[in-house]
Structures are given as C-alpha cells and as structure tokens.
Amino acid sequence: MLAFENFSKTYPGGKRAVDRLSLSVDAGDIYGFIGHNGAGKTTAIRAAVGALGFEEGEIRIGGMSVREEPVACKAITAYIPDNPELYDYLTGMQYINFIADVFGVAEAERQQRIARYAAAFEMEESLGGLIGSYSHGMKQKTALIAALVHAPKLLILDEPTNGLDPIGIEELRELIRSFPAKGITVILSSHILSEVQQTADHIGIIAGGVLGYEGKLNANENLEQLFMDVVKSNHREG
C-alpha cells in the first residue's frame, strides 16, 4: 500500500534529511514509523502525502507514483499532521462536509460515516459549534472524522493522540485496531513509544535520515530500548 524506493531528500544548503529510504507497508497493516526529532520521519511523511516535493527515488501508494499520479494517490489517502489546522469560523460539521465535497463523497455515505465516527469520539453534540471554540482534543477528533469521511485506503497519523484525554486515547487506539478489517492501512507516527507498541503490527525506526531498524513487534520486546540502541548506533556511525 505504501512503498519508499531509495527515497532521498536534500534541502537547500545541503542538509540531507533522508538518505536512500526503502521500506514497504502491506495493505491492512498498522505500521509504526518512529524517529527522534530531526531524524527525517516528518520529511518522509510529508513527501508521501504530496506536501513536499522530491527528486531522488520514488514513493508509491497503492502501486501508483506519488510524483506521476498525485491526484490518484491523494484520492485514497488521508493525512493528519501533529497539529492540524482547521477553519475556526466554520462549524465542525461544515468543515467535515467541505472535506467530503472535495473528495466527492455521496450524501448518504457521508452522513453514515459522520454519524459513526462522531459517535465513536462522542462529538455528536459538538459538531454544530464553531471550530474556534473547540479544545485541542476536539479539533483533533474533528480532523479524524474529516480524514475518514472519504473512506481512505491509507491513513497517515502523525502524533494523533496530541491533546486527547486518556478516554479519547483509548477510543482512538480501538478505532485504529479496527481499521485493517475495514481495508484501511495505517501509518502511525508517535513519540509515545508505548502507544506504538500497543497498536502497531510492524515498526520502522529512522535515525539520521537512515532506516535503522524494521521488523515485526514482539509482545515482550522493549521498544524503548530498541529505539535507543538504533539512535545510539546511528550516532556512533555518524
């Protein structure tokens, strides 16, 4: 569903943020993509969703090239950044309907999906209010509902639990776990390693722009120690 093929990104001034990244995420997988600040994780994610151009390597979504078929790739992808920017002077429902219009979602389908996810996040009574009056957690939930309204095949979540209370975090975790059965592949990026360990099937650890580890998570494995080992190894090699 998502593949990086020797993807590299060098910023003006010569900073190489990502160096020959190759990884593949199977359809129906929940993939934890983690890295320390400045590791290249966000650069790779932004390139995958079409928010950042690149010249080296290739990124494919559903077998399609992000560079050559950007609209088709975006049609089956949803992305929620760590701090989603919504429109404060729209209501939550107006914003979600706007996103549904962009993706051409039929009225019956959108109403069914909005009702389902609004109930899952206990937002039924809040979507009529202005987004500017929402707490950060409510904005995060609204962004999630909007991301899911067009039934994406690939959902990329960058720090999705930001601003959520413990109940909201557990609701989101259960929702993410239900996605593979609905045909949704999830890329989960988070600094909260315990969250990744409890949710993801496979992980990739990027350090210094290089993929330092990739594999299936074992229930008894200490992800924090594994993460630190990869980061320290990268620093020694650098």
Side-chain angles (χ1 to χ4, degrees):
M1 181 53 66
L2 174 65
F4 290 87
E5 302 168 0
N6 289 313
F7 164 72
S8 297
K9 177 62 181 180
T10 303
Y11 287 107
K15 177 177 171 52
R16 196 165 180 81
V18 181
D19 188 24
R20 291 169 292 178
L21 174 66
S22 291
L23 65 84
S24 180
V25 180
D26 292 335
D29 201 1
I30 301 175
Y31 190 97
F33 189 45
I34 57 179
H36 59 86
N37 289 338
K41 170 176 58 70
T42 299
T43 293
I45 288 174
R46 293 186 66 228
V49 300
L52 181 67
F54 63 96
E55 295 75 38
E56 300 178 64
E58 184 60 276
I59 305 174
R60 298 185 186 279
I61 294 177
M64 299 177 291
S65 167
V66 168
R67 281 192 295 186
E68 296 177 6
E69 302 174 86
V71 175
C73 288
K74 289 175 182 177
I76 61 172
T77 303
Y79 167 53
I80 303 180
D82 58 347
N83 189 25
E85 294 185 8
L86 310 182
Y87 299 107
D88 284 351
Y89 295 102
L90 293 180
T91 68
M93 186 63 76
Q94 287 172 331
Y95 175 76
I96 295 166
N97 275 308
F98 165 66
I99 298 300
D101 287 341
V102 169
F103 284 95
V105 182
E107 186 67 26
E109 292 176 333
R110 78 172 64 182
Q111 292 305 324
Q112 182 183 49
R113 291 167 188 161
I114 292 171
R116 181 196 315 159
Y117 293 120
F121 287 116
E122 299 183 347
M123 286 288 289
E124 303 104 307
E125 304 300 321
S126 303
L127 291 180
L130 289 175
I131 291 173
S133 69
Y134 288 1
S135 67
H136 182 80
M138 292 168 69
K139 289 180 179 179
Q140 195 80 352
K141 291 177 180 180
T142 301
L144 281 162
I145 297 169
L148 294 166
V149 76
H150 72 285
K153 295 294 184 183
L154 176 65
L155 178 62
I156 301 178
L157 304 173
D158 193 0
E159 304 294 343
T161 58
N162 274 355
L164 297 182
D165 59 27
I167 294 175
I169 290 172
E170 181 58 30
E171 290 170 345
L172 178 61
R173 184 185 300 137
E174 291 302 315
L175 190 62
I176 291 173
R177 287 174 178 158
S178 74
F179 285 152
K182 297 180 174 68
I184 301 175
T185 304
V186 180
I187 309 297
L188 174 63
S189 175
S190 176
H191 285 104
I192 305 174
L193 299 184
S194 60
E195 195 67 42
V196 175
Q197 183 141 22
Q198 293 178 56
T199 310
D201 303 312
H202 295 82
I203 61 163
I205 302 175
I206 188 170
V210 177
L211 188 67
Y213 176 87
E214 185 178 30
K216 187 174 178 62
L217 276 174
N218 298 317
N220 299 323
E221 193 166 17
N222 187 326
L223 180 56
E224 183 175 348
Q225 186 60 55
L226 175 62
F227 177 79
M228 292 306 300
D229 288 345
V230 170
V231 172
K232 289 177 181 177
S233 175
N234 174 266
H235 283 172
R236 286 196 299 268
E237 291 172 5

